[in-house]
Amino acid sequence: MIIIAGPCVYENEDVAFKTCDFLMNLCDKYGFDYFYKTSYDKANRSSVHSYRGPGIEEGIRFFERLKKEYGVKILTDFHSEREAEIIKDYVDILQVPAFLCRQTDILKAAAKTGKVVNVKKGQFMAPWDMKNVVEKLKFFGAKDIMLTERGYSFGYNNLVVDFRSFPIMKEFCDTVIFDVTHSVQLPGGRGDASGGERRFAPYLARSAVACGVDGLFMEIHPNPDIALCDGANMLNFDMAEKLFDEIKRIRDALWM
């Protein structure tokens, strides 16, 4: 089981290191393959006044410190061809954001780095349409590809998860991930920011594991209520620990 988890965006070293330490120990306890996740820039925030992150230069400095301190594997998202080339030497997985998943030049840039590429399925994309995304990546030389389900737009400011997505995408991609916390997001639900319903996250996570996904993507923060981005749908440490125990038992039951 792959676990991709961490704060939505880099806020400060204290939050980042505290979260990494907690999640590394938790994944070690349950035998999960852990990747630390955070963003150096959130280019798709609802409002121009929202916190985006420290930018790519500070992001690189942080990733270097994190690698030195913990030796952890890292995933981050990028938003332009230039960024892919700059950030590739500091992370293990490059993530294509959902809103950019059809952009051929973005996919080409990710593939050309030689890194593992994780593509978030757009909120506007049917699962079978992601086959074209995989074919683009392979055409440009990508070898290791992951697809992540993160919910589908259902009316205004709401998302739903179609659990048929997992077996459908497994037909043409070896590694399928479920984004637990963004799937309970309410995009733009607060007018100038997105809302969320974190209380539903464990239900969706348990269901996805029962469906046989290869891993879970989760945004986790020591205190989500004061987080600078996506706090309404992020999990706190207590919720994460309880959920990890549950998904471990479900996973074990499936493979006994």
Side-chain angles (χ1 to χ4, degrees):
M1 173 67 73
I2 298 166
I3 297 292
I4 302 167
C8 174
V9 67
Y10 177 71
E11 299 178 8
N12 57 62
E13 199 169 273
D14 179 60
V15 168
F17 281 11
K18 185 181 295 184
T19 307
C20 183
D21 186 72
F22 169 76
L23 289 170
M24 282 191 73
N25 288 325
L26 199 59
C27 286
D28 184 63
K29 176 181 178 180
Y30 289 107
F32 298 149
D33 186 15
Y34 178 55
F35 291 82
Y36 180 88
K37 180 271 163 187
T38 201
S39 301
Y40 54 82
D41 182 23
K42 300 298 291 185
N44 62 345
R45 296 300 307 276
S46 297
S47 170
V48 70
H49 303 294
S50 298
Y51 177 70
R52 287 181 53 166
I56 194 167
E57 291 183 2
E58 178 56 31
I60 287 171
R61 286 191 286 270
F62 165 64
F63 291 146
E64 288 181 317
R65 293 196 299 272
L66 192 71
K67 282 279 191 184
K68 183 178 180 180
E69 184 78 17
Y70 292 100
V72 69
K73 294 176 288 188
I74 298 171
L75 172 148
T76 198
D77 42 351
F78 71 102
H79 308 91
S80 70
E81 299 161 65
R82 177 176 173 272
E83 283 186 25
E85 185 61 28
I86 293 171
I87 202 69
K88 66 180 175 61
D89 294 328
Y90 304 96
V91 300
D92 301 274
I93 301 179
L94 280 175
Q95 180 169 283
V96 177
F99 287 134
L100 299 177
C101 72
R102 284 184 50 160
Q103 298 298 107
T104 302
D105 289 340
I106 290 287
L107 296 169
K108 180 180 179 180
K112 292 297 183 182
T113 66
K115 293 289 183 178
V116 179
V117 181
N118 180 40
V119 185
K120 290 285 194 76
K121 182 175 77 65
Q123 301 92 321
F124 45 87
M125 295 280 285
W128 44 86
D129 290 332
M130 292 300 288
K131 184 176 182 179
N132 294 322
V133 173
V134 171
E135 289 177 351
K136 285 183 183 181
L137 287 167
K138 289 182 176 179
F139 180 82
F140 293 120
K143 303 298 183 185
D144 296 308
I145 302 167
M146 306 162 75
L147 295 180
T148 296
E149 168 64 56
R150 52 95 71 243
Y152 190 87
S153 295
F154 186 72
Y156 297 125
N157 309 121
N158 196 29
L159 298 169
V160 296
V161 177
D162 182 352
F163 285 86
R164 296 176 299 177
S165 291
F166 304 126
I168 290 170
M169 292 196 294
K170 282 290 285 185
E171 292 173 3
F172 48 82
C173 185
D174 290 337
T175 307
V176 174
I177 307 294
F178 176 50
D179 183 341
V180 177
T181 51
H182 282 110
S183 294
V184 296
Q185 190 180 55
L186 301 175
R190 294 179 174 177
D192 62 350
S194 292
E197 298 179 303
R198 78 169 68 99
R199 66 193 178 103
F200 294 124
Y203 296 95
L204 297 185
R206 294 192 297 261
S207 300
V209 173
C211 282
V213 295
D214 301 292
L216 298 176
F217 178 109
M218 292 178 273
E219 291 187 335
I220 295 170
H221 191 284
N223 188 352
D225 291 331
I226 62 170
L228 299 181
C229 178
D230 279 2
N233 49 264
M234 279 200 283
L235 306 182
N236 61 36
F237 287 3
D238 288 341
M239 290 184 73
E241 187 153 15
K242 183 175 186 294
L243 180 57
F244 277 39
D245 180 71
E246 292 170 342
I247 62 178
K248 170 67 172 173
R249 287 188 281 123
I250 293 170
R251 178 96 170 169
D252 287 349
L254 284 173
W255 293 100
M256 284 180 64

